[in-house]
Amino acid sequence: MTPERWAQIEGLFHRAAECDPKHRTALLDAACGCDSELRREVEALLFCQASAGDHVQAALRAELDTVGFPLAGETISHYRILDGLGGGGMGLVYRAEDIKLGRQVALKFLPEESSRNPAALARFTFSR
């Protein structure tokens, strides 16, 4: 492939990638005309870009779950922690399985500083 041909493919790829997907076919029709090889090369690059983006997003989600919810995959007492549900200033909430009862539950873990604060702990104390 000549440098000129690669520049043509690359330029059209970038135009198509930035184009609204609804208008992409019309753009390629106009730009490629009867040059089916050009269209095939650009469409292959577009497919690779979309596929790579999906893989990167999945990898990032998995990594964020691991970093953001460090207890995922652990077993604490009779709870197998499955994954994180959310978090904020009051701690992290995990989806877990109660191994003894065989059902799913939500577990909340307070931040360490809250666990030393009697006023914060009082909010989680059940009294009749």
mmCIF file with all atom_site columns, all heavy atoms in Angstrom, residues 33-47:
data_model
loop_
_atom_site.group_PDB
_atom_site.id
_atom_site.type_symbol
_atom_site.label_atom_id
_atom_site.label_alt_id
_atom_site.label_comp_id
_atom_site.label_asym_id
_atom_site.label_entity_id
_atom_site.label_seq_id
_atom_site.pdbx_PDB_ins_code
_atom_site.Cartn_x
_atom_site.Cartn_y
_atom_site.Cartn_z
_atom_site.occupancy
_atom_site.B_iso_or_equiv
_atom_site.pdbx_formal_charge
_atom_site.auth_seq_id
_atom_site.auth_comp_id
_atom_site.auth_asym_id
_atom_site.auth_atom_id
_atom_site.pdbx_PDB_model_num
ATOM 1   N N   . GLY A 1 33 ? -17.488 6.020  -3.875 1.00 0.00 ? 33 GLY A N   1
ATOM 2   C CA  . GLY A 1 33 ? -17.977 5.793  -5.235 1.00 0.00 ? 33 GLY A CA  1
ATOM 3   C C   . GLY A 1 33 ? -17.917 4.317  -5.567 1.00 0.00 ? 33 GLY A C   1
ATOM 4   O O   . GLY A 1 33 ? -18.449 3.483  -4.848 1.00 0.00 ? 33 GLY A O   1
ATOM 5   N N   . CYS A 1 34 ? -17.209 3.978  -6.645 1.00 0.00 ? 34 CYS A N   1
ATOM 6   C CA  . CYS A 1 34 ? -17.096 2.571  -7.053 1.00 0.00 ? 34 CYS A CA  1
ATOM 7   C C   . CYS A 1 34 ? -15.795 1.934  -6.554 1.00 0.00 ? 34 CYS A C   1
ATOM 8   O O   . CYS A 1 34 ? -15.454 0.822  -6.951 1.00 0.00 ? 34 CYS A O   1
ATOM 9   C CB  . CYS A 1 34 ? -17.239 2.439  -8.563 1.00 0.00 ? 34 CYS A CB  1
ATOM 10  S SG  . CYS A 1 34 ? -15.985 3.349  -9.467 1.00 0.00 ? 34 CYS A SG  1
ATOM 11  N N   . ASP A 1 35 ? -15.070 2.625  -5.663 1.00 0.00 ? 35 ASP A N   1
ATOM 12  C CA  . ASP A 1 35 ? -13.823 2.085  -5.109 1.00 0.00 ? 35 ASP A CA  1
ATOM 13  C C   . ASP A 1 35 ? -14.169 1.184  -3.915 1.00 0.00 ? 35 ASP A C   1
ATOM 14  O O   . ASP A 1 35 ? -14.132 1.596  -2.748 1.00 0.00 ? 35 ASP A O   1
ATOM 15  C CB  . ASP A 1 35 ? -12.903 3.240  -4.682 1.00 0.00 ? 35 ASP A CB  1
ATOM 16  C CG  . ASP A 1 35 ? -11.503 2.767  -4.302 1.00 0.00 ? 35 ASP A CG  1
ATOM 17  O OD1 . ASP A 1 35 ? -11.317 1.554  -4.055 1.00 0.00 ? 35 ASP A OD1 1
ATOM 18  O OD2 . ASP A 1 35 ? -10.607 3.630  -4.233 1.00 0.00 ? 35 ASP A OD2 1
ATOM 19  N N   . SER A 1 36 ? -14.533 -0.062 -4.216 1.00 0.00 ? 36 SER A N   1
ATOM 20  C CA  . SER A 1 36 ? -14.971 -0.993 -3.166 1.00 0.00 ? 36 SER A CA  1
ATOM 21  C C   . SER A 1 36 ? -13.837 -1.343 -2.195 1.00 0.00 ? 36 SER A C   1
ATOM 22  O O   . SER A 1 36 ? -14.088 -1.602 -1.017 1.00 0.00 ? 36 SER A O   1
ATOM 23  C CB  . SER A 1 36 ? -15.558 -2.259 -3.778 1.00 0.00 ? 36 SER A CB  1
ATOM 24  O OG  . SER A 1 36 ? -14.596 -2.920 -4.569 1.00 0.00 ? 36 SER A OG  1
ATOM 25  N N   . GLU A 1 37 ? -12.618 -1.330 -2.648 1.00 0.00 ? 37 GLU A N   1
ATOM 26  C CA  . GLU A 1 37 ? -11.484 -1.627 -1.772 1.00 0.00 ? 37 GLU A CA  1
ATOM 27  C C   . GLU A 1 37 ? -11.326 -0.532 -0.712 1.00 0.00 ? 37 GLU A C   1
ATOM 28  O O   . GLU A 1 37 ? -11.083 -0.821 0.459  1.00 0.00 ? 37 GLU A O   1
ATOM 29  C CB  . GLU A 1 37 ? -10.187 -1.758 -2.580 1.00 0.00 ? 37 GLU A CB  1
ATOM 30  C CG  . GLU A 1 37 ? -8.999  -2.130 -1.711 1.00 0.00 ? 37 GLU A CG  1
ATOM 31  C CD  . GLU A 1 37 ? -7.695  -2.172 -2.505 1.00 0.00 ? 37 GLU A CD  1
ATOM 32  O OE1 . GLU A 1 37 ? -7.732  -2.411 -3.714 1.00 0.00 ? 37 GLU A OE1 1
ATOM 33  O OE2 . GLU A 1 37 ? -6.645  -1.941 -1.876 1.00 0.00 ? 37 GLU A OE2 1
ATOM 34  N N   . LEU A 1 38 ? -11.469 0.715  -1.120 1.00 0.00 ? 38 LEU A N   1
ATOM 35  C CA  . LEU A 1 38 ? -11.395 1.831  -0.173 1.00 0.00 ? 38 LEU A CA  1
ATOM 36  C C   . LEU A 1 38 ? -12.476 1.676  0.893  1.00 0.00 ? 38 LEU A C   1
ATOM 37  O O   . LEU A 1 38 ? -12.211 1.789  2.084  1.00 0.00 ? 38 LEU A O   1
ATOM 38  C CB  . LEU A 1 38 ? -11.546 3.168  -0.907 1.00 0.00 ? 38 LEU A CB  1
ATOM 39  C CG  . LEU A 1 38 ? -11.627 4.419  -0.037 1.00 0.00 ? 38 LEU A CG  1
ATOM 40  C CD1 . LEU A 1 38 ? -10.360 4.597  0.792  1.00 0.00 ? 38 LEU A CD1 1
ATOM 41  C CD2 . LEU A 1 38 ? -11.884 5.650  -0.919 1.00 0.00 ? 38 LEU A CD2 1
ATOM 42  N N   . ARG A 1 39 ? -13.692 1.405  0.445  1.00 0.00 ? 39 ARG A N   1
ATOM 43  C CA  . ARG A 1 39 ? -14.806 1.251  1.389  1.00 0.00 ? 39 ARG A CA  1
ATOM 44  C C   . ARG A 1 39 ? -14.549 0.082  2.337  1.00 0.00 ? 39 ARG A C   1
ATOM 45  O O   . ARG A 1 39 ? -14.779 0.193  3.540  1.00 0.00 ? 39 ARG A O   1
ATOM 46  C CB  . ARG A 1 39 ? -16.109 1.057  0.636  1.00 0.00 ? 39 ARG A CB  1
ATOM 47  C CG  . ARG A 1 39 ? -17.289 1.037  1.588  1.00 0.00 ? 39 ARG A CG  1
ATOM 48  C CD  . ARG A 1 39 ? -18.602 0.882  0.858  1.00 0.00 ? 39 ARG A CD  1
ATOM 49  N NE  . ARG A 1 39 ? -19.680 1.145  1.770  1.00 0.00 ? 39 ARG A NE  1
ATOM 50  C CZ  . ARG A 1 39 ? -20.593 2.068  1.599  1.00 0.00 ? 39 ARG A CZ  1
ATOM 51  N NH1 . ARG A 1 39 ? -20.570 2.846  0.539  1.00 0.00 ? 39 ARG A NH1 1
ATOM 52  N NH2 . ARG A 1 39 ? -21.553 2.236  2.480  1.00 0.00 ? 39 ARG A NH2 1
ATOM 53  N N   . ARG A 1 40 ? -14.069 -1.035 1.807  1.00 0.00 ? 40 ARG A N   1
ATOM 54  C CA  . ARG A 1 40 ? -13.795 -2.211 2.632  1.00 0.00 ? 40 ARG A CA  1
ATOM 55  C C   . ARG A 1 40 ? -12.741 -1.893 3.696  1.00 0.00 ? 40 ARG A C   1
ATOM 56  O O   . ARG A 1 40 ? -12.887 -2.264 4.867  1.00 0.00 ? 40 ARG A O   1
ATOM 57  C CB  . ARG A 1 40 ? -13.349 -3.365 1.736  1.00 0.00 ? 40 ARG A CB  1
ATOM 58  C CG  . ARG A 1 40 ? -13.287 -4.697 2.413  1.00 0.00 ? 40 ARG A CG  1
ATOM 59  C CD  . ARG A 1 40 ? -13.036 -5.889 1.483  1.00 0.00 ? 40 ARG A CD  1
ATOM 60  N NE  . ARG A 1 40 ? -12.182 -5.635 0.327  1.00 0.00 ? 40 ARG A NE  1
ATOM 61  C CZ  . ARG A 1 40 ? -12.619 -5.493 -0.923 1.00 0.00 ? 40 ARG A CZ  1
ATOM 62  N NH1 . ARG A 1 40 ? -13.904 -5.560 -1.198 1.00 0.00 ? 40 ARG A NH1 1
ATOM 63  N NH2 . ARG A 1 40 ? -11.762 -5.272 -1.922 1.00 0.00 ? 40 ARG A NH2 1
ATOM 64  N N   . GLU A 1 41 ? -11.687 -1.189 3.325  1.00 0.00 ? 41 GLU A N   1
ATOM 65  C CA  . GLU A 1 41 ? -10.626 -0.835 4.279  1.00 0.00 ? 41 GLU A CA  1
ATOM 66  C C   . GLU A 1 41 ? -11.156 0.093  5.381  1.00 0.00 ? 41 GLU A C   1
ATOM 67  O O   . GLU A 1 41 ? -10.872 -0.111 6.563  1.00 0.00 ? 41 GLU A O   1
ATOM 68  C CB  . GLU A 1 41 ? -9.456  -0.152 3.552  1.00 0.00 ? 41 GLU A CB  1
ATOM 69  C CG  . GLU A 1 41 ? -8.676  -1.052 2.629  1.00 0.00 ? 41 GLU A CG  1
ATOM 70  C CD  . GLU A 1 41 ? -7.800  -2.046 3.363  1.00 0.00 ? 41 GLU A CD  1
ATOM 71  O OE1 . GLU A 1 41 ? -7.532  -1.875 4.567  1.00 0.00 ? 41 GLU A OE1 1
ATOM 72  O OE2 . GLU A 1 41 ? -7.377  -3.018 2.712  1.00 0.00 ? 41 GLU A OE2 1
ATOM 73  N N   . VAL A 1 42 ? -11.920 1.095  4.989  1.00 0.00 ? 42 VAL A N   1
ATOM 74  C CA  . VAL A 1 42 ? -12.463 2.045  5.965  1.00 0.00 ? 42 VAL A CA  1
ATOM 75  C C   . VAL A 1 42 ? -13.454 1.342  6.891  1.00 0.00 ? 42 VAL A C   1
ATOM 76  O O   . VAL A 1 42 ? -13.424 1.530  8.115  1.00 0.00 ? 42 VAL A O   1
ATOM 77  C CB  . VAL A 1 42 ? -13.104 3.261  5.260  1.00 0.00 ? 42 VAL A CB  1
ATOM 78  C CG1 . VAL A 1 42 ? -13.831 4.148  6.258  1.00 0.00 ? 42 VAL A CG1 1
ATOM 79  C CG2 . VAL A 1 42 ? -12.036 4.057  4.526  1.00 0.00 ? 42 VAL A CG2 1
ATOM 80  N N   . GLU A 1 43 ? -14.334 0.516  6.338  1.00 0.00 ? 43 GLU A N   1
ATOM 81  C CA  . GLU A 1 43 ? -15.302 -0.206 7.170  1.00 0.00 ? 43 GLU A CA  1
ATOM 82  C C   . GLU A 1 43 ? -14.609 -1.170 8.131  1.00 0.00 ? 43 GLU A C   1
ATOM 83  O O   . GLU A 1 43 ? -15.045 -1.329 9.275  1.00 0.00 ? 43 GLU A O   1
ATOM 84  C CB  . GLU A 1 43 ? -16.319 -0.943 6.295  1.00 0.00 ? 43 GLU A CB  1
ATOM 85  C CG  . GLU A 1 43 ? -17.327 0.007  5.662  1.00 0.00 ? 43 GLU A CG  1
ATOM 86  C CD  . GLU A 1 43 ? -18.309 -0.680 4.728  1.00 0.00 ? 43 GLU A CD  1
ATOM 87  O OE1 . GLU A 1 43 ? -18.004 -1.788 4.213  1.00 0.00 ? 43 GLU A OE1 1
ATOM 88  O OE2 . GLU A 1 43 ? -19.389 -0.096 4.499  1.00 0.00 ? 43 GLU A OE2 1
ATOM 89  N N   . ALA A 1 44 ? -13.512 -1.791 7.694  1.00 0.00 ? 44 ALA A N   1
ATOM 90  C CA  . ALA A 1 44 ? -12.751 -2.677 8.578  1.00 0.00 ? 44 ALA A CA  1
ATOM 91  C C   . ALA A 1 44 ? -12.155 -1.880 9.739  1.00 0.00 ? 44 ALA A C   1
ATOM 92  O O   . ALA A 1 44 ? -12.187 -2.331 10.891 1.00 0.00 ? 44 ALA A O   1
ATOM 93  C CB  . ALA A 1 44 ? -11.652 -3.393 7.795  1.00 0.00 ? 44 ALA A CB  1
ATOM 94  N N   . LEU A 1 45 ? -11.624 -0.707 9.452  1.00 0.00 ? 45 LEU A N   1
ATOM 95  C CA  . LEU A 1 45 ? -11.080 0.140  10.523 1.00 0.00 ? 45 LEU A CA  1
ATOM 96  C C   . LEU A 1 45 ? -12.170 0.599  11.477 1.00 0.00 ? 45 LEU A C   1
ATOM 97  O O   . LEU A 1 45 ? -11.977 0.621  12.704 1.00 0.00 ? 45 LEU A O   1
ATOM 98  C CB  . LEU A 1 45 ? -10.355 1.353  9.931  1.00 0.00 ? 45 LEU A CB  1
ATOM 99  C CG  . LEU A 1 45 ? -9.032  1.068  9.223  1.00 0.00 ? 45 LEU A CG  1
ATOM 100 C CD1 . LEU A 1 45 ? -8.527  2.326  8.523  1.00 0.00 ? 45 LEU A CD1 1
ATOM 101 C CD2 . LEU A 1 45 ? -8.003  0.540  10.204 1.00 0.00 ? 45 LEU A CD2 1
ATOM 102 N N   . LEU A 1 46 ? -13.330 0.948  10.951 1.00 0.00 ? 46 LEU A N   1
ATOM 103 C CA  . LEU A 1 46 ? -14.451 1.363  11.801 1.00 0.00 ? 46 LEU A CA  1
ATOM 104 C C   . LEU A 1 46 ? -14.897 0.227  12.707 1.00 0.00 ? 46 LEU A C   1
ATOM 105 O O   . LEU A 1 46 ? -15.178 0.427  13.893 1.00 0.00 ? 46 LEU A O   1
ATOM 106 C CB  . LEU A 1 46 ? -15.618 1.863  10.946 1.00 0.00 ? 46 LEU A CB  1
ATOM 107 C CG  . LEU A 1 46 ? -15.405 3.187  10.232 1.00 0.00 ? 46 LEU A CG  1
ATOM 108 C CD1 . LEU A 1 46 ? -16.494 3.411  9.189  1.00 0.00 ? 46 LEU A CD1 1
ATOM 109 C CD2 . LEU A 1 46 ? -15.353 4.337  11.231 1.00 0.00 ? 46 LEU A CD2 1
ATOM 110 N N   . PHE A 1 47 ? -14.948 -0.982 12.166 1.00 0.00 ? 47 PHE A N   1
ATOM 111 C CA  . PHE A 1 47 ? -15.326 -2.146 12.958 1.00 0.00 ? 47 PHE A CA  1
ATOM 112 C C   . PHE A 1 47 ? -14.311 -2.391 14.074 1.00 0.00 ? 47 PHE A C   1
ATOM 113 O O   . PHE A 1 47 ? -14.677 -2.640 15.222 1.00 0.00 ? 47 PHE A O   1
ATOM 114 C CB  . PHE A 1 47 ? -15.456 -3.388 12.075 1.00 0.00 ? 47 PHE A CB  1
ATOM 115 C CG  . PHE A 1 47 ? -15.749 -4.631 12.858 1.00 0.00 ? 47 PHE A CG  1
ATOM 116 C CD1 . PHE A 1 47 ? -17.032 -4.889 13.311 1.00 0.00 ? 47 PHE A CD1 1
ATOM 117 C CD2 . PHE A 1 47 ? -14.734 -5.534 13.162 1.00 0.00 ? 47 PHE A CD2 1
ATOM 118 C CE1 . PHE A 1 47 ? -17.306 -6.025 14.052 1.00 0.00 ? 47 PHE A CE1 1
ATOM 119 C CE2 . PHE A 1 47 ? -14.997 -6.672 13.905 1.00 0.00 ? 47 PHE A CE2 1
ATOM 120 C CZ  . PHE A 1 47 ? -16.290 -6.931 14.351 1.00 0.00 ? 47 PHE A CZ  1
#
